[in-house]
Amino acid sequence: MTTPPLDGIRALAGLDREARDRIAALAHPVRFAAGEHVFHEGGEARSCWLLQEGRVDLYTVVPGRGQVTLDTFVEGDVLGWSWLTPPHRWHYGAVAAAATSALEVDAAALQALSEADAEFGYTVMRALFGALLERLQATRARLLDLYAGSDVR
């Protein structure tokens, strides 16, 4: 059985081939049509997605403003972080802004594998944390743009 390639996923680029192959063994291909929700805010977080093509918007609902895009994920990005810590619920929603293909990773299986092999787990979590920090900074910049010029305190 051939595992899906993860070479195009930036967050995993620093991992060795064996680590990427172990993650790939936990993944299966999925497709989302434009407008299809990947997950909803408050839903159970059981997966993450390694985007291969397309575009996914991360959003929240702001009272008086409706659905507001916080960030956009594209080819090579990792989507979905809420599975990492309890209560394993999505903090935001995600919707495909264009037809999107991805590899869906079983988060519980990745956590179990990481707990069984602490060195592997540390390496993977460190790689994911670096990507998460980049996304957090991008979200911060987006929020600053969103509220620039408003009288929000």
Side-chain angles (χ1 to χ4, degrees), residues 39-129:
F39 53 84
H40 295 276
E41 187 172 345
E44 188 176 358
R46 292 184 275 180
S47 300
C48 67
W49 294 265
L50 311 174
L51 300 184
Q52 296 179 306
E53 67 177 8
R55 196 171 74 246
V56 175
D57 288 340
L58 188 72
Y59 69 88
T60 192
V61 176
V62 176
R65 293 186 89 150
Q67 186 172 303
V68 175
T69 298
L70 299 173
D71 205 351
T72 299
F73 292 73
V74 297
E75 178 181 333
D77 286 338
V78 177
L79 172 67
W81 302 97
S82 297
W83 61 271
L84 283 166
T85 58
H88 307 291
R89 296 275 173 206
W90 296 119
H91 297 275
Y92 304 105
V95 63
T100 299
S101 63
L103 296 172
E104 183 174 356
V105 178
D106 178 337
L110 181 56
Q111 284 181 321
L113 185 59
S114 296
E115 289 170 7
D117 182 344
E119 184 177 344
F120 169 78
Y122 175 76
T123 301
V124 170
M125 292 305 143
R126 190 168 162 194
L128 291 176
F129 181 77

Side-chain angles (χ1 to χ4, degrees), residues 120-143:
F120 169 78
Y122 175 76
T123 301
V124 170
M125 292 305 143
R126 190 168 162 194
L128 291 176
F129 181 77
L132 177 59
L133 185 58
E134 286 179 24
R135 300 318 294 191
L136 182 61
Q137 293 300 336
T139 300
R140 178 179 180 266
R142 174 86 174 149
L143 287 172

